[in-house]
Amino acid sequence: MSKNQEENNMMEKIVSLAKRRGFVFQSSEIYGGFASCYDYGPLGVELKNNIKREWWKAMVRQRDDVVGLDASILMHPKVWEASGHLESFTDPLVDCKDCKKRFRADHLLEAKGLEPGYLKEKPEAINEIKCPECSGQLTNPRTFNLLMKTFIGPVENEAAVTYLRGETCQGIYVNFENVKDSMRLKIPFGIAQVGKAFRNEITPGNFIFRMREFEQMEMQYFVNPKEAKKWFEYWKPLRLKWYQDLGVKKENLRLREHGQDELAHYAKEAWDIEYNYPFGGFKELAGIHNRGDWDLSRHSKFSGKDLSYTDPETKEKFMPYIIETSDGADRATLVFLLDAYEEIRGGRTTTTESSKEVEVVLRLDKRLAPIKIAILPLSKKPELEKVAKKIQENLWGTYMTMYDVTGSIGKRYRRQDEIGTPYCLTVDFESLEDKKVTIRDRDTMKQDRVAISEVLDYIDDKFKS
Ligand code: GAP
């Protein structure tokens, strides 16, 4: 199998696992699907919530200089004029004259190993490129705005136009004063938010990598301009470390600085945390941006409200610079799934069926795993099920559990390994006598015999370490 085939194969496997086991479904599937919108199933919603919870813990709850916010998706349309999105939030679009498919010109150049800025200097460069689908001729590039338009109120006219937010951080900037004053905050401080963003992406794709409706986890750190570089260098490694601490392999992550021609309209300096995806190698997972005073200056100008800051001690007055950390909850979900996926050929359990098969183990960090502990009574005998149900009820409220009584125990272990469940608890006939159960570890496959009365403490202990 060629490298390309293997890479496509890997994405196919993840997409198939995601659907089969209830992580991610295509939106509106019964109507033939809705391009680049996805629905999270019962396990996907747990995984994504766990990712968001870990992010919130690291960025808000375990810090005394960052607070949270949940701003509305719909905002005054002037916000998007001030932010520069109406003018500059565009992608260069080309159409194939033959098959009529649309592409992002910068992506086509990138695939040829050319820099995105090349197109600005030499727009005719696109004529040297053929349509990747049918080898037809492409049109000249034209700009395409990514903001999604909607109407507010009963009349659909220009006065009623607003936009679904293209990035969550604008809700933070317009609340800068509200949050600072209500929480009596002094610079430097940060405001964090998790929420939906919308972009009319031209060439979405690669599953949940590029969607039209997605979720961002953003933190805006307001600093004295003199200290912007210091804080930028502080947040950059910290965000990378967050992914590593949650189990993403070091060799699959890297930091890359944006070239001058790549910088977004608001950025003075930008670095991406990149992941080595099975489609095309290292690409963006998250970003760290020095937005300078762009946002607060523009909102001051467009709203007429001065958003500058006066240091209470030194009386120095300045427009705060913003160091932004911007992560995508969906892209992070994809990365955690891809990085955790492992196939074991020939099987690792001793059952005869398994030794012929490829076993899948999703080695998700236990904090992220959707199901923390599976409860598996050895048989459907009522006396076993009664004990098993009682154990499950005792774990409810603290741990997400799954009860499974169908199939051989080997099959049930494999079903749990495939969704990343770190612990499986088996109730057997001996349990009725010795009041103990067997708890099996997903990664080491080590089995411990634990007193039923001590199951909660045993699991607590595992989740502490
Ligand atoms: N506020 C800055 C900002 O929005 P960005 O680089 O455009 O910066 C930040 O987006 C992150 O949001 C990306 O690194 C990615 O994780 C996620 N993201 C952006 N567009 C996305 C899309 N169409 N689908 C899924 N995630 C996306």
Side-chain angles (χ1 to χ4, degrees):
M1 196 186 290
S2 74
K3 192 164 178 287
N4 247 355
Q5 276 170 321
E6 229 169 80
E7 286 168 351
N8 289 341
N9 214 357
M10 177 63 184
M11 274 313 277
E12 271 169 28
K13 283 176 186 167
I14 290 292
V15 175
S16 148
L17 173 76
K19 178 169 177 184
R20 196 162 27 85
R21 300 307 312 273
F23 282 92
V24 182
F25 309 122
Q26 173 74 65
S27 161
S28 318
E29 198 183 89
I30 59 168
Y31 288 97
F34 197 55
S36 292
C37 296
Y38 288 91
D39 300 339
Y40 284 80
L43 296 190
V45 72
E46 291 295 331
L47 172 60
K48 195 172 161 198
N49 278 345
N50 292 341
I51 293 169
K52 290 188 283 184
R53 191 174 308 114
E54 285 304 316
W55 185 87
W56 195 260
K57 202 157 79 184
M59 300 298 280
V60 181
R61 290 185 54 187
Q62 293 176 340
R63 304 190 61 100
D64 59 8
D65 57 348
V66 180
V67 295
L69 180 76
D70 183 9
S72 85
I73 288 175
L74 297 171
M75 284 185 272
H76 196 291
K78 276 238 171 198
V79 168
W80 301 106
E81 215 181 311
S83 71
H85 281 73
L86 277 183
E87 194 185 321
S88 309
F89 195 44
T90 55
D91 279 337
L93 167 83
V94 288
D95 290 298
C96 172
K97 288 180 184 167
D98 295 337
C99 72
K100 312 292 177 211
K101 288 235 166 78
R102 285 196 163 161
F103 305 94
R104 263 176 69 171
D106 54 334
H107 285 175
L108 296 182
L109 289 174
E110 220 176 274
K112 298 260 165 210
L114 297 165
E115 296 289 321
Y118 189 68
L119 199 63
K120 273 189 207 140
E121 294 149 29
K122 218 179 152 214
E124 67 280 7
I126 205 72
N127 299 331
E128 295 158 21
I129 297 179
K130 295 275 175 257
C131 168
E133 293 286 327
C134 74
S135 303
Q137 211 193 339
L138 300 172
T139 59
N140 283 332
R142 57 200 166 87
T143 52
F144 177 81
N145 196 290
L146 302 184
L147 281 181
M148 286 206 192
K149 241 187 208 179
T150 188
F151 297 95
I152 288 282
V155 189
E156 289 193 6
N157 61 16
E158 271 310 296
V161 166
T162 191
Y163 305 89
L164 302 184
R165 66 183 174 199
E167 54 175 5
T168 54
C169 55
Q170 293 301 328
I172 294 180
Y173 307 144
V174 297
N175 278 295
F176 170 68
E177 292 252 302
N178 284 337
V179 175
K180 171 173 71 66
D181 296 345
S182 60
M183 302 303 287
R184 295 181 293 116
L185 298 170
K186 283 190 208 144
I187 272 175
F189 71 87
I191 306 177
Q193 173 167 232
V194 176
K196 291 263 176 157
F198 302 81
R199 295 183 189 176
N200 206 358
E201 299 279 3
I202 303 165
T203 48
N206 287 325
F207 194 38
I208 53 174
F209 176 80
R210 196 180 305 284
M211 301 149 84
R212 292 197 165 112
E213 175 184 340
F214 57 99
E215 224 170 343
Q216 290 189 311
M217 309 184 285
E218 296 202 303
M219 193 284 304
Q220 313 297 311
Y221 205 69
F222 299 90
V223 302
N224 185 319
K226 289 181 199 146
E227 298 197 322
K229 188 67 183 160
K230 178 183 101 182
W231 286 112
F232 192 83
E233 293 309 326
Y234 168 84
W235 282 107
K236 203 168 62 176
L238 211 62
R239 289 309 307 144
L240 178 70
K241 192 168 172 294
W242 184 78
Y243 288 99
Q244 292 169 349
D245 287 349
L246 283 169
V248 180
K249 296 174 197 82
K250 271 191 177 155
E251 64 272 22
N252 285 337
L253 289 166
R254 74 174 188 196
L255 279 162
R256 185 185 69 84
E257 186 173 13
H258 279 210
Q260 283 302 313
D261 51 6
E262 264 181 284
L263 287 175
H265 62 274
Y266 52 72
K268 281 189 177 303
E269 183 179 354
W271 286 68
D272 282 344
I273 297 174
E274 294 189 329
Y275 181 75
N276 191 9
Y277 296 93
F279 46 91
F282 282 97
K283 288 183 196 299
E284 181 179 354
L285 160 60
I288 301 109
H289 314 129
N290 175 357
R291 299 179 69 124
D293 64 0
W294 166 265
D295 300 281
L296 292 188
S297 299
R298 296 273 295 190
H299 285 302
S300 294
K301 187 173 154 204
F302 281 72
S303 68
K305 172 134 181 96
D306 180 12
L307 297 176
S308 62
Y309 175 85
T310 304
D311 187 295
E313 268 116 52
T314 65
K315 307 296 172 215
E316 185 191 358
K317 188 176 176 190
F318 54 86
M319 192 58 83
Y321 269 31
I322 292 166
I323 306 302
E324 166 180 73
T325 71
S326 182
D327 297 71
D330 310 275
R331 220 171 265 190
T333 303
L334 176 61
V335 162
F336 285 119
L337 280 173
L338 284 167
D339 212 72
Y341 185 91
E342 195 180 315
E343 284 181 349
I344 297 166
R345 277 162 218 286
R348 58 179 194 149
T349 50
T350 49
T351 55
T352 39
E353 324 99 281
S354 75
S355 59
K356 292 184 210 122
E357 291 168 16
V358 171
E359 280 187 33
V360 172
V361 185
L362 211 50
R363 295 196 191 273
L364 288 170
D365 183 284
K366 33 183 187 239
R367 287 164 291 180
L368 301 185
I371 306 294
K372 307 299 185 202
I373 179 153
I375 313 289
L376 316 174
L378 201 62
S379 87
K380 286 184 179 157
K381 288 260 164 22
E383 56 272 37
L384 287 192
E385 290 222 59
K386 195 170 156 212
V387 175
K389 289 264 182 209
K390 198 138 187 260
I391 294 172
Q392 186 183 27
E393 276 168 31
N394 202 28
L395 291 165
W396 275 344
T398 320
Y399 296 102
M400 189 68 195
T401 60
M402 185 184 270
Y403 192 85
D404 187 3
V405 74
T406 34
S408 71
I409 197 74
K411 269 213 173 97
R412 281 186 270 163
Y413 279 154
R414 271 176 281 139
R415 277 207 287 267
Q416 294 301 325
D417 287 348
E418 197 186 35
I419 59 170
T421 307
Y423 300 103
C424 286
L425 181 152
T426 316
V427 181
D428 53 33
F429 288 100
E430 238 182 286
S431 306
L432 302 176
E433 304 299 321
D434 67 1
K435 311 280 180 252
K436 287 182 176 175
V437 290
T438 302
I439 301 183
R440 172 215 192 236
D441 182 297
R442 175 195 71 199
D443 296 327
T444 62
M445 299 214 302
K446 195 171 155 276
Q447 304 200 353
D448 284 337
R449 197 79 185 153
V450 180
I452 293 173
S453 58
E454 285 167 18
V455 166
L456 189 56
D457 285 346
Y458 177 93
I459 297 293
D460 278 348
D461 219 46
K462 294 286 180 193
F463 277 85
K464 248 185 254 148
S465 56

